[in-house]
Amino acid sequence: MESQSNNPLATPSQEQKPHKAGFVNIIGNPNVGKSTLMNALVGERLSIITSKAQTTRHRILGIVNGEDFQAILSDTPGIIKPAYELQASMMDFVKSAFEDADVLVYMVELGEKELKDEAFFNKIRNSKIPVLLLINKIDNGNEETLEASRTHWKEQVPNAEIFAISALENFGVAQVFNRILEALPVSPPFYPKDALTDKPERFFVNEIIREKILIHYKKEIPYSVEIDTEEFFEEDNIIRMRSIIMVERDSQKGIIIGHKGAALKRVGIEARKDLEVFFGKKVHMELYVKVNKNWRSSERELRRFGYNGK
């Protein structure tokens, strides 16, 4: 997918330098602000941001290009102990983020004390590549709390460089980005220089619809849903699409649709408005709900929806 706007952090070079490029992988516990940081760095809304945990399911690449650099940022699912096949696949995406990283960004929130998986934590502590440890949400605390957090994480991850940021308020993000650029290896670009992400348009249609479901539905409903955009036709002035909301049970289908279809209509209207902003043109959307029993535990279905850990 091509970029439609320039990242504000990606300023042109003043002199000719060797081109740098590399993979910058963001990891951490659920809901610490990884997606907010990713979107702030890329300058586009690529990742779902809600107050619910586990909103990022795939590994999403966002690409920031400058005259003499290409930073390929990876937003990964929050680290959890998997309870079913879908979550196991999500953790495969996190494992893959360790394998190709040139810079590792480990994100915690102010007051947090540990990563939820000791094996991942040991990989961070023993990493041979630059590790940037970001203490996020510092606007929720005071100087004393921040200093205690700095001391704790310096002891826990002595190989890391520590930055205090507020991704939501965009505080400290530019300093982190500049350090990322310093740490990138000299390399030609991996993707076309006008690329914004490696994901196709349908992926972002699915993610924006899923975001609305995360916002408006409670309990297990958001985590039992997958979106499949079956049709996507782009014309000069309009994009026509047909998307299916997959649920696991008939009772969930009824909840998604709502009384006289009102709940489903709200999801469709809000998703369409966001998609029109995202694509910069009018969108016509058809939205349906289907039951796909136990899709979260089916390896075949998970492969179909792209959960293959790569």
Side-chain angles (χ1 to χ4, degrees):
M1 182 174 172
E2 294 183 355
S3 173
Q4 300 202 7
S5 67
N6 293 322
N7 180 275
L9 301 176
T11 54
S13 305
Q14 298 300 313
E15 59 186 58
Q16 191 66 35
K17 300 175 184 176
H19 192 279
K20 301 175 102 179
F23 290 82
V24 182
N25 299 341
I26 307 168
I27 62 171
N29 287 332
N31 209 27
V32 295
K34 298 185 299 297
S35 295
T36 304
L37 175 68
M38 165 84 160
N39 295 341
L41 290 170
V42 176
E44 294 279 349
R45 202 188 75 175
L46 298 183
S47 293
I48 287 181
I49 304 171
T50 80
S51 59
K52 293 186 173 72
Q54 300 173 40
T55 51
T56 300
R57 284 181 177 171
H58 293 264
R59 184 179 173 194
I60 300 170
L61 297 189
I63 302 165
V64 185
N65 291 293
E67 186 177 322
D68 55 19
F69 70 85
Q70 183 177 81
I72 304 152
L73 299 147
S74 173
D75 178 19
T76 58
I79 294 173
I80 55 174
K81 291 191 180 298
Y84 44 85
E85 193 67 31
L86 170 60
Q87 290 184 340
S89 181
M90 288 161 60
M91 292 307 95
D92 286 341
F93 287 120
V94 180
K95 291 175 186 174
S96 72
F98 281 96
E99 293 168 4
D100 62 12
D102 295 297
V103 180
L104 199 59
V105 175
Y106 173 36
M107 200 163 185
V108 301
E109 62 178 302
L110 190 64
E112 187 179 332
K113 295 294 185 183
E114 61 184 4
L115 197 63
K116 292 184 179 178
D117 188 298
E118 188 65 25
F120 282 129
F121 199 34
N122 287 331
K123 283 188 176 184
I124 295 167
R125 283 187 288 217
N126 296 317
S127 175
K128 303 300 183 188
I129 62 171
V131 176
L132 311 186
L133 192 152
L134 312 188
I135 303 171
N136 190 30
K137 305 183 183 180
I138 60 169
D139 44 320
N140 292 341
N142 54 37
E143 190 65 31
E144 184 179 347
T145 309
L146 177 58
E147 283 309 307
S149 188
R150 280 182 186 273
T151 301
H152 171 78
W153 287 113
K154 195 61 186 173
E155 292 173 354
Q156 292 294 314
V157 194
N159 56 313
E161 300 175 49
I162 298 177
F163 294 81
I165 70 164
S166 171
L168 187 62
E169 300 296 333
N170 213 23
F171 175 81
V173 173
Q175 289 90 333
V176 171
F177 186 73
N178 288 337
R179 181 65 189 98
I180 287 170
L181 294 186
E182 289 176 4
L184 289 179
V186 173
S187 169
F190 291 88
Y191 293 91
K193 293 285 281 191
D194 60 354
L196 173 67
T197 179
D198 68 326
K199 299 294 184 185
E201 285 88 348
R202 293 185 193 212
F203 175 85
F204 295 101
V205 174
N206 298 346
E207 287 292 276
I208 286 174
I209 295 170
R210 194 164 65 85
E211 178 188 56
K212 302 311 172 189
I213 292 170
L214 280 158
I215 291 170
H216 291 301
Y217 297 88
K218 298 178 181 178
K219 297 183 179 178
E220 89 282 357
I221 293 292
Y223 305 103
S224 302
V225 162
E226 184 58 63
I227 316 299
D228 183 19
T229 296
E230 295 184 333
E231 296 179 1
F232 185 97
F233 301 110
E234 186 166 3
E235 302 171 12
D236 289 341
N237 300 314
I238 191 170
I239 302 172
R240 303 182 189 277
M241 59 187 72
R242 182 176 189 270
S243 300
I244 308 297
I245 300 172
M246 300 284 187
V247 295
E248 290 194 305
R249 299 194 301 274
D250 289 322
S251 59
Q252 294 168 345
K253 179 178 180 180
I255 293 169
I256 291 285
I257 293 172
H259 182 61
K260 295 184 178 179
L264 181 62
K265 183 178 180 181
R266 177 174 62 182
V267 168
I269 289 171
E270 293 186 8
R272 177 179 54 78
K273 288 179 180 178
D274 281 7
L275 287 165
E276 287 180 340
V277 172
F278 188 83
F279 290 114
K281 62 172 64 177
K282 189 175 176 61
V283 167
H284 173 77
M285 173 188 288
E286 295 180 20
L287 196 57
Y288 301 90
V289 186
K290 287 184 178 179
V291 177
N292 187 344
K293 293 186 185 298
N294 300 318
W295 71 265
R296 292 186 302 175
S297 300
S298 165
E299 288 190 16
R300 183 179 66 84
E301 288 300 296
L302 289 172
R303 281 197 302 272
R304 185 165 80 87
F305 292 132
Y307 298 104
N308 55 7
K310 302 297 181 185

